[in-house]
Amino acid sequence: MSNEHEDAVAAAKAALAKAEADLAAAQAAESAKTAEGTEPATEAADAPAAEAKGSADAANAPESADASGADEAVAKPEAPAEAKPEEAKPAEDAPAGPLNAEQVETIRAGYAFEQQALELGALVNGDVLSEVPVRIPISMTNRHGLVAGATGTGKTKTLQVMLEQLSAAGVPVFAADIKGDLSGVATPGASNEKLLERTQKIGQDWQPQSAPTEFYSLGGRGQGVPIRATVTSFGPLMLSKVLGLNATQESVLGLVFHYADQAGLPLVNLEDLRSVLLFLTSDEGKPELESIGGVSKQSAGVILRELTTFAAEGADVFFGEPEIDTNEFLRLAPDGRGIVSMLELPGVAQQPALFSTFLMWLLADLFASLPEVGDLDKPKLVFFFDEAHLLFNGASKEFVSQIVQTVRLIRSKGVGIFFVTQTPKDVPNDVLAQLGSRVQHQLRAHTPDDAKSLRATVRTYPESGYDLEETLTQLATGEAIVTVMNEKGAPTPVAWVRMRAPQGSMDPTPAADIEKSVKASPLLAKYGTAVDPESAHEILAKRMNASAEAAKKEAEQAEAEKRAKKPSTTTRRKEKSVVDEVLGSGAAKTVVREVTRGLFGMLFKK
């Protein structure tokens, strides 16, 4: 029994010595490998040491213990050391953004056009991928488009990037400068470190460059060559939109225009229209009024009041002659670049319905005057319609119908239109359906209405690898979601894009530079000074003056005949002639009074 116990103790001590040796070796290995980043093996070495210590303790137990326990401790095999798992490393080809490699390649191929194209920017997929440019074929810009986004998200700079490249490609551009900050296109941009860092990341070789620019103004209010239109050319539909007339009043105004055309009464300015309305509602004009279907005095009165208010706001300067020839917007500079026609509107910012409707008139006039040309390699003109929602607010069905028809058909005249607004819902569905390219900057969803608008916008996009409802609210300033028409007329893949920077100034062109440019324009001599030709106002004044003269002569003749007769003791009341009755009526006196007042106003105009 004593010998067996001694043997067990010896075996346990041997196992303990071996474990201590293994531990020392492990510690030495740890010291040697720490510099190489190898995980320490301390835990693996501690296992046999702990096990050997347990064997020694079992050997020193009282002899009454079962010796087989010591034998089991000695005979128990050592547990293998468990290696500490290494931290998982990301795969080299794992996508950094929402798109996988296959989706990125689809976008690359979708925007690889052979034709000349406008460079919008580079794909964003976590990081900017400068090797994946996003573009619009120039031939597809006459399939129209939409640039949308909340205030301050980069819409104006996107417009500037597009019109600069169109001009450089020999395509004339027309744009409305609502706030004055788009005028920087006429001035070379200024370089800075932040700008160059951004442009280098998206693969843009940025160089300062201005575009040839012609500045216009509405009726001479503001800086620019005056743009005017005659009332006849403007038409009853657009004028009703500007005046805020209802459907019945719009119909009445249409009858008035029809009468003026038939009677040879040119409506050049607002005073002409006012004179015609007064004449038709007078006793003298009543028979002619009845011949065109009749106009109630109540409706005519409403129109007259709205005209008076409209003129009092200074709108009368927008109507008159010389009327702008819209072909002026199709000019090229001597170096072959397209001229940017910039309509400066800060002076009429408080009359949004007026300038938006005026822009629509320009488009309608272009549509009426240009010939059919079909699909061209590049359009004759690209028209940027800023603050487009103002055009559709409160518009009648007939007015919207005319817009839809113009947008649909003007493409065949070689004209492209880009509507610029805050959300796509600002544009009627029938118009949206005609727009081939879309550049959507950030949308905000701070209210239930905003969230509803966001969801509606997302549903209008084709399937993509993005969660657009989330992505559209996370776009940084100067980034946009883009899809355009490719060379075959099919939509391109939806792409998250960091837009290029304009080469012109991002600040407004100084007022002194604009004034200098306007004075040097060859168009100023042609359109700078308003003229007042004979029109409805003057024609009706002559007619009334002739009637008054005839009545005067008739009265003088009657008086002469009375004196030639022998005086009678009986006083007879002179019967009134028909002309006397007409001229004596209150309505006729009103017409004469209004025409006379207008004539005096004309004589004293500066």
Side-chain angles (χ1 to χ4, degrees), residues 113-415:
F113 309 124
E114 295 181 0
Q115 296 180 4
Q116 190 176 11
L118 305 181
E119 301 289 342
L120 295 181
L123 180 68
V124 175
N125 193 39
D127 295 325
V128 179
L129 305 180
S130 60
E131 68 276 13
V132 187
V134 175
R135 317 151 77 209
I136 302 178
I138 289 182
S139 62
M140 290 293 109
T141 53
N142 78 330
R143 300 296 181 93
H144 314 319
L146 175 73
V147 179
T151 300
T153 58
K155 296 192 304 293
T156 300
K157 302 313 172 193
T158 294
L159 260 65
Q160 191 170 339
V161 166
M162 295 175 69
L163 64 84
E164 285 176 351
Q165 293 186 58
L166 285 165
S167 172
V171 178
V173 177
F174 183 95
D177 190 12
I178 306 295
K179 295 172 285 188
D181 49 1
L182 195 56
S183 64
V185 69
T187 304
S191 176
N192 60 64
E193 185 177 345
K194 184 177 179 181
L195 172 67
L196 293 179
E197 180 183 2
R198 176 189 172 89
T199 54
Q200 288 171 0
K201 285 183 177 179
I202 63 174
Q204 178 184 359
D205 182 17
W206 188 89
Q207 298 293 332
Q209 177 70 57
S210 62
T213 307
E214 185 80 68
F215 291 98
Y216 294 90
S217 64
L218 281 184
R221 283 179 58 179
Q223 293 181 299
V225 176
I227 289 180
R228 302 182 186 88
T230 64
V231 172
T232 295
S233 176
F234 205 70
L237 194 62
M238 293 190 184
L239 190 57
S240 296
K241 172 68 167 57
V242 171
L243 296 177
L245 303 182
N246 61 29
T248 300
Q249 295 155 359
E250 181 181 303
S251 176
V252 169
L253 190 59
L255 289 174
V256 173
F257 270 73
H258 174 73
Y259 166 75
D261 290 340
Q262 297 297 316
L265 298 173
L267 301 177
V268 175
N269 51 38
L270 295 181
E271 191 60 37
D272 291 325
L273 180 58
R274 181 183 174 85
S275 296
V276 171
L277 279 166
L278 286 169
F279 172 73
L280 288 176
T281 54
S282 69
D283 291 341
E284 185 176 353
K286 188 175 180 180
E288 298 187 57
L289 185 64
E290 291 176 350
S291 70
I292 60 173
V295 174
S296 71
K297 289 189 176 182
Q298 292 83 355
S299 294
V302 171
I303 297 173
L304 282 169
R305 286 195 299 272
E306 293 297 335
L307 277 175
T308 301
T309 302
F310 191 48
E313 294 173 349
D316 52 340
V317 301
F318 306 138
F319 297 94
E321 288 188 344
E323 182 177 274
I324 191 73
D325 180 359
T326 50
N327 285 292
E328 304 286 7
F329 306 141
L330 308 181
R331 295 179 300 139
L332 298 177
D335 60 3
R337 291 185 293 168
I339 291 180
V340 177
S341 298
M342 188 69 64
L343 179 59
E344 291 296 304
L345 292 172
V348 292
Q350 301 305 314
Q351 296 172 290
L354 175 64
F355 68 70
S356 62
T357 309
F358 234 99
L359 293 180
M360 195 63 227
W361 172 77
L362 294 175
L363 275 177
D365 192 74
L366 283 167
F367 175 74
S369 62
L370 292 176
E372 295 278 345
V373 294
D375 292 328
L376 302 173
D377 290 338
K378 56 185 180 182
K380 287 185 174 182
L381 175 72
V382 175
F383 197 102
F384 288 94
F385 206 127
D386 202 1
E387 302 293 343
H389 64 282
L390 299 173
L391 179 66
F392 302 105
N393 285 349
S396 66
K397 290 182 179 179
E398 178 65 21
F399 186 76
V400 173
S401 176
Q402 292 297 319
I403 296 175
V404 172
Q405 181 180 6
T406 302
V407 173
R408 179 183 295 121
L409 299 179
I410 203 170
R411 177 183 67 81
S412 63
K413 304 293 185 83
V415 177

